[in-house]
Amino acid sequence: MEDRKLKKVLSSVDLLVLALGAMLGWGWVVLSGTWITSAGSMGAVIAFVIGGFLVVCVGLNYAELASAMPKVGGEHEYVHRALGKNFSFVASWAITLGYVSVATFEAVALPTVIDYLLPNYQAGYLWTIAGWDVHLNWVLIGSVGALIITGINYLGLKQAAVLQTVFTLMIVGVGLILIFGSGFLGDTANLSPAFSGGMGGIMTVLVMVPFLFVGFDVIPQVAEEANLPRKSIGKFLIISVVGAILFYLAVALGVGLGLSPSQLANSELASADAMASLFNSDVFAQILILGGVAGIITSWNSFIIGGSRVLYAMAKSGMLPAWFARLHPKYHTPSNAILFIGILSMLAPLLGRSALVWIVDAGGLGIVVAYFFVALSFIVLRKKEPNMERPFRAAKSPIYGYLALVLSLGFIVLYLPGMPAALIWPYEWIMVAGWGLVGAFFFIQMNRGAYEKKSATAKKKAL
């Protein structure tokens, strides 16, 4: 039988840009105005400091576990070892919702960006969803983009990593133009009011943090494909998190310095308008939007990579049908899992632009649920397996595990009815419920041993 294994093809630079590019997506372009109008310039900074602290705590949990267990699937592996198969399924299915949500989000974000570059280009009316008209050429832009990104990932991880490097450098370059431009040309008077909306305003920004920062956990997903020392896996994960926090903080301040409160109130794309205002040229706004397009591509790329690896790991463990565990004989990629996420991305634009918010919120809940289980696994493994080899160790005590556990639980509560970030009825609850029902079906089948039997039969035939 041909030996089909995931290949160790990723360098340290590949790992860093995979995570950083995943976190620096389109959100910093489209949401920066909302951060400042909701919380004020300093309120937004405080929200990112608090949210960044959560991400660092969770990131330290991941860094230790990824270096100790550099296995494909990340959360799947850690929770399985600490809490058993059932909890591993829940955590893995939850993070897959997060990954799929980002991949589908970018498929809707891409044609949305074209709206800013080419106004009134839409043609071929299809239908109206939640008050927004869906047009054929708008859908095709998102679907063709999904097809291209899926194809690149299908052909090999190294090719996807090269793509990631190029576009991550574009994002960072454009972001630095905004940051340094605001430092030299911005007006500190624009930072007033420093706070807006009190604690409620800060909370509004805070609940966006899980979605904005999801991406560092792509490193654990591909740890088995990384060609570097185990300790370095944890180190680069933390470097990527700190880099993203600094970038978001600088962008929030940069937009605050670049636009007055009245300009912010009338801005649809605050980061681009801030660039235009700072340099007194619309050309710079277009440059920033191109940086946003690069962010769409890097996030899209990372989460097809991460999501496909989780599905692959689940199928290998008998949690999902063996179809998801197929490795391509030539490219050594989990080809079927990649196709599954790619097809969902191609279909997402059919929901129209309104789906952007629904996808962000529904995916955010899945992400923080997975973070909760990883933190719990971190604590359990510290007690259950104190002598486990941990090349990267997050402090002597499990303090970061407890902090991440409490903060993750707090974030989960924020998504519940009656809270500031409560999921919107019916659209977002339908997405979560639909994903949960499909998961429940697979969960029942898993506990019946259906997938393990089929997987064993497939192996015998291959031999």
Side-chain angles (χ1 to χ4, degrees):
M1 183 181 71
E2 183 183 359
D3 184 27
R4 296 185 190 177
K5 293 182 180 178
L6 295 166
K7 300 297 181 183
K8 290 185 178 294
V9 296
L10 297 179
S11 66
S12 56
V13 172
D14 293 333
L15 273 190
L16 190 58
V17 296
L18 272 176
L20 197 56
M23 288 183 278
L24 306 183
W26 170 242
W28 66 278
V29 177
V30 76
L31 296 174
S32 57
T34 304
W35 304 338
I36 299 167
T37 54
S38 298
S41 54
M42 290 300 103
V45 167
I46 288 172
F48 276 110
V49 169
I50 296 169
F53 180 68
L54 160 72
V55 177
V56 167
C57 289
V58 175
L60 284 167
N61 289 199
Y62 272 91
E64 178 171 305
L65 295 170
S67 64
M69 292 172 275
K71 298 290 185 181
V72 66
E75 296 89 346
H76 166 80
E77 185 75 19
Y78 319 145
V79 182
H80 195 287
R81 185 160 175 173
L83 305 172
K85 195 168 188 175
N86 288 343
F87 285 112
S88 177
F89 180 94
V90 174
S92 302
W93 195 244
I95 198 67
T96 305
L97 170 60
Y99 289 162
V100 169
S101 74
V102 179
T104 53
F105 171 90
E106 306 304 356
V108 179
L110 183 61
T112 301
V113 178
I114 305 302
D115 288 343
Y116 295 105
L117 294 172
L118 299 171
N120 304 315
Y121 75 94
Q122 297 183 30
Y125 171 80
L126 296 176
W127 46 69
T128 300
I129 297 180
W132 201 84
D133 295 340
V134 183
H135 291 83
L136 179 61
N137 60 349
W138 193 92
V139 170
L140 286 175
I141 289 170
S143 298
V144 170
L147 181 64
I148 293 169
I149 299 292
T150 303
I152 291 170
N153 275 276
Y154 189 92
L155 295 175
L157 182 58
K158 191 63 181 179
Q159 289 90 325
V162 170
L163 175 82
Q164 190 79 356
T165 301
V166 172
F167 284 100
T168 299
L169 289 174
M170 277 183 63
I171 301 168
V172 173
V174 171
L176 288 175
I177 295 172
L178 170 63
I179 292 162
F180 281 105
S182 65
F184 288 106
L185 303 171
D187 187 349
T188 53
N190 289 339
L191 296 177
S192 182
F195 297 94
S196 177
M199 278 305 297
I202 292 174
M203 297 270 281
T204 300
V205 179
L206 195 57
V207 295
M208 298 181 190
V209 167
F211 189 85
L212 291 169
F213 280 94
V214 65
F216 67 85
D217 41 316
V218 170
I219 288 180
Q221 307 305 339
V222 296
E224 196 171 315
E225 297 164 90
N227 189 22
L228 67 162
R230 288 162 62 183
K231 186 174 183 178
S232 298
I233 294 171
K235 189 190 305 179
F236 281 107
L237 190 152
I238 296 302
I239 290 171
S240 72
V241 168
V242 172
I245 292 169
L246 293 175
F247 185 89
Y248 277 119
L249 283 170
V251 166
L253 281 173
V255 173
L257 288 164
L259 293 177
S260 67
S262 60
Q263 287 175 311
L264 271 171
N266 296 312
S267 173
E268 282 192 41
L269 208 60
S271 297
D273 291 339
M275 277 276 272
S277 175
L278 287 165
F279 294 96
N280 196 29
S281 170
D282 288 339
V283 172
F284 281 88
Q286 303 296 318
I287 291 171
L288 189 130
I289 290 172
L290 289 175
V293 172
I296 288 172
I297 292 168
T298 56
S299 283
W300 210 340
N301 191 45
S302 289
F303 291 108
I304 285 184
I305 291 170
S308 62
R309 269 59 182 181
V310 179
L311 291 171
Y312 168 80
M314 291 177 77
K316 290 279 285 185
S317 298
M319 295 181 180
L320 293 178
W323 183 85
F324 286 102
R326 179 183 184 270
L327 281 183
H328 195 280
K330 180 179 179 181
Y331 306 122
H332 300 279
T333 55
S335 50
N336 287 351
I338 289 168
L339 288 174
F340 173 74
I341 297 176
I343 290 168
L344 290 179
S345 297
M346 290 176 214
L347 295 174
L350 294 170
L351 295 174
R353 187 172 171 179
S354 303
L356 280 173
V357 176
W358 306 339
I359 292 168
V360 168
D361 292 346
L365 177 58
I367 291 160
V368 292
V369 167
Y371 287 173
F372 175 84
F373 280 108
V374 169
L376 185 59
S377 299
F378 175 91
I379 295 165
V380 169
L381 287 171
R382 277 289 187 99
K383 292 181 177 179
K384 193 165 78 171
E385 299 189 46
N387 298 321
M388 177 197 290
E389 185 184 354
R390 293 173 170 87
F392 182 99
R393 194 174 181 89
K396 290 184 179 180
S397 74
I399 180 64
Y400 291 111
Y402 286 108
L403 286 170
L405 191 73
V406 171
L407 290 167
S408 300
L409 184 60
F411 269 83
I412 291 170
V413 171
L414 292 178
Y415 289 92
L416 300 179
M419 300 303 290
L423 296 182
I424 297 171
W425 177 264
Y427 307 106
E428 293 171 5
W429 280 111
I430 287 173
M431 285 185 174
V432 172
W435 190 258
L437 285 172
V438 174
F441 171 79
F442 287 140
F443 184 85
I444 292 167
Q445 292 294 99
M446 173 192 78
N447 280 303
R448 288 176 177 169
Y451 304 132
E452 287 181 346
K453 291 172 188 174
K454 289 177 182 177
S455 179
T457 302
K459 285 178 182 177
K460 285 179 181 177
K461 286 182 179 178
L463 291 168

